[in-house]
């Protein structure tokens, strides 16, 4: 399947190896290749979608569009726009009747997760999701340790609401209250396994 | 309660009558003022959110960002970007444990709804949502008639999948299988009332 960007450019990551058969790639290889957490989650969500396991998408980056050019009859071109702060988390969707909502963050810190990574609107959003009966959580990758934790929003909010002094959550909290997310070839960050085990 | 649009403009429909007690405003008045369906739904969702009734948001417009300028240390400025086709519906969220998912469309046609308004990705998305146990529907405003219908995705998909010849859904189908959405001052398109009545 070939992706095309709206500018008509073909996206072809394997262009150089066109004639070679793609080799199986392990999750470790992915980590080594420096795939971002976002890329891994997007690939996982794509897998969930194709296999009819769940319908979970990343929301588009919020952008304030100021000016659009319409050169001739071709596609509209945005020539001035600015990034806006998101008022919600980045990912949401549906899994077996459950509303799923999460934010994904990476840190190169080995001993703690800096809370400035999550802003106030997002914390408020998580509270609202919990109040309405949704499944809200964070996926936090400790990049240098190659570990991804599923950390329920209620635990995050405990730290967030009661940590005037602290500005980060120690890694031990993830080990004690979080769940290490299994990684596999097809579901590189297989977070639904955590929901299967702990929300039934 | 004051609404603010993302451009910072305050929304104040009663500005001229500030000293008077606000009068009841009929849905007709709003329609006459020419508010778009999107504006009305956004205001409704804002009301649901503030009153802790539901957490439902419009997804940001998907944009493919090609070039960003970083003039000095000020905000990043996107100088080249293109609109992308959405792979899902525009609105989703959570209401009392239920996953809610819908697309909103207006038509000036008085007798039918042109199906070209919904593209293939969105129809496929609706099928997936139904399969996972979500509440999927369309909100269709017949602008000139000042009527908004809640039309379940399963009915839309019946027409969509079985209408090689037809390119539109007759208004009578909305009257027979859809629900007329009540409009009020605070919830201008009060679609959750339909869910309360028909999904319990």
């Amino acid at each position: 399947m070939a992706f095309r960007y709206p500018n008509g450019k073909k996206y072809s990551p394997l262009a150089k190896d066109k004639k070679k058969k793609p080799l199986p790639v392990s999750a470790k290889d992915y980590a080594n290749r420096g795939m971002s957490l976002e890329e891994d989650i997007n690939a996982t969500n794509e897998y969930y979608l194709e296999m009819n396991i769940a319908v979970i998408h990343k929301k588009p980056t919020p952008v304030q569009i100021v000016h659009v050019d319409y050169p001739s009859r071709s596609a509209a071109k945005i020539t001035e726009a600015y990034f806006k702060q998101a008022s919600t988390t980045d990912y949401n969707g549906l899994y077996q009747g459950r509303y799923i909502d999460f934010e994904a963050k990476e840190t190169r810190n080995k001993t703690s997760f800096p809370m400035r990574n999550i802003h106030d609107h997002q914390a408020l959003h998580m509270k609202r999701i919990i109040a309405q009966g949704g499944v809200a959580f964070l996926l936090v990758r400790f990049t240098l340790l190659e570990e991804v934790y599923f950390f329920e929003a209620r635990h995050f909010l405990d730290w967030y609401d009661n940590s005037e002094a602290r500005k980060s959550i120690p890694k031990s909290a993830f080990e004690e209250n979080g769940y290490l997310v299994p990684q596999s070839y097809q579901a590189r960050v297989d977070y639904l396994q955590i929901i299967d085990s702990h929300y039934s």
Side-chain angles (χ1 to χ4, degrees), chain A:
Chain A
M1 191 173 53
F3 295 104
R4 274 182 193 278
Y5 289 120
N7 59 11
K9 254 192 177 170
K10 200 171 164 187
Y11 172 62
S12 177
L14 296 169
K16 286 178 194 163
D17 307 282
K18 242 176 202 163
K19 281 165 199 168
K20 288 186 202 164
K21 217 175 170 180
L23 294 168
V25 180
S26 77
K28 192 106 182 180
D29 287 336
Y30 276 111
N32 288 343
R33 225 186 281 142
M35 287 290 185
S36 72
L37 179 58
E38 180 180 323
E39 286 169 315
D40 282 346
I41 291 172
N42 289 348
T44 302
N45 287 343
E46 187 67 24
Y47 170 74
Y48 290 158
L49 196 65
E50 292 303 322
M51 302 299 286
N52 294 316
I53 294 168
V55 187
I56 298 164
H57 289 277
K58 183 174 189 298
K59 293 181 192 172
T61 304
V63 157
Q64 178 74 41
I65 296 165
V66 176
H67 191 79
V68 182
D69 269 359
Y70 299 91
S72 72
R73 256 180 292 184
S74 61
K77 179 181 174 183
I78 299 161
T79 56
E80 186 181 355
Y82 300 92
F83 294 102
K84 284 196 296 189
Q85 195 177 60
S87 54
T88 66
T89 47
D90 272 358
Y91 298 87
N92 78 354
L94 175 63
Y95 174 51
Q96 295 181 357
R98 286 179 193 274
Y99 175 89
I100 305 294
D101 195 294
F102 64 96
E103 184 66 25
K105 292 292 176 194
E106 296 185 81
T107 180
R108 295 181 68 82
N109 197 312
K110 288 182 187 178
T111 56
S112 68
F113 173 71
M115 276 197 273
R116 66 167 183 277
N117 277 320
I118 308 288
H119 58 72
D120 293 352
H121 275 118
Q122 293 180 315
L124 175 59
H125 176 74
M126 289 179 211
K127 286 177 192 175
R128 286 170 164 158
I129 295 305
I130 292 171
Q132 286 288 335
V135 178
F137 56 95
L138 301 181
L139 292 180
V140 174
R141 173 180 278 168
F142 290 91
T143 309
L144 301 177
L145 305 170
E146 296 181 14
E147 292 174 356
V148 178
Y149 285 91
F150 181 115
F151 198 60
E152 289 177 65
R154 65 187 172 105
H155 291 306
F156 168 75
L157 291 165
D158 276 349
W159 285 94
Y160 178 85
D161 286 334
N162 302 304
S163 308
E164 293 276 322
R166 298 193 75 113
K167 296 210 165 67
S168 64
I169 303 173
K171 176 152 188 287
S172 60
F174 290 87
E175 290 159 1
E176 279 159 36
N177 299 124
Y179 306 104
L180 200 56
V181 178
Q183 308 188 23
S184 68
Y185 172 60
Q186 289 181 297
R188 295 194 225 158
V189 184
D190 198 1
Y191 57 90
L192 290 182
Q193 279 200 36
I194 307 297
I195 293 177
D196 287 340
S197 317
H198 298 279
Y199 286 80
S200 50

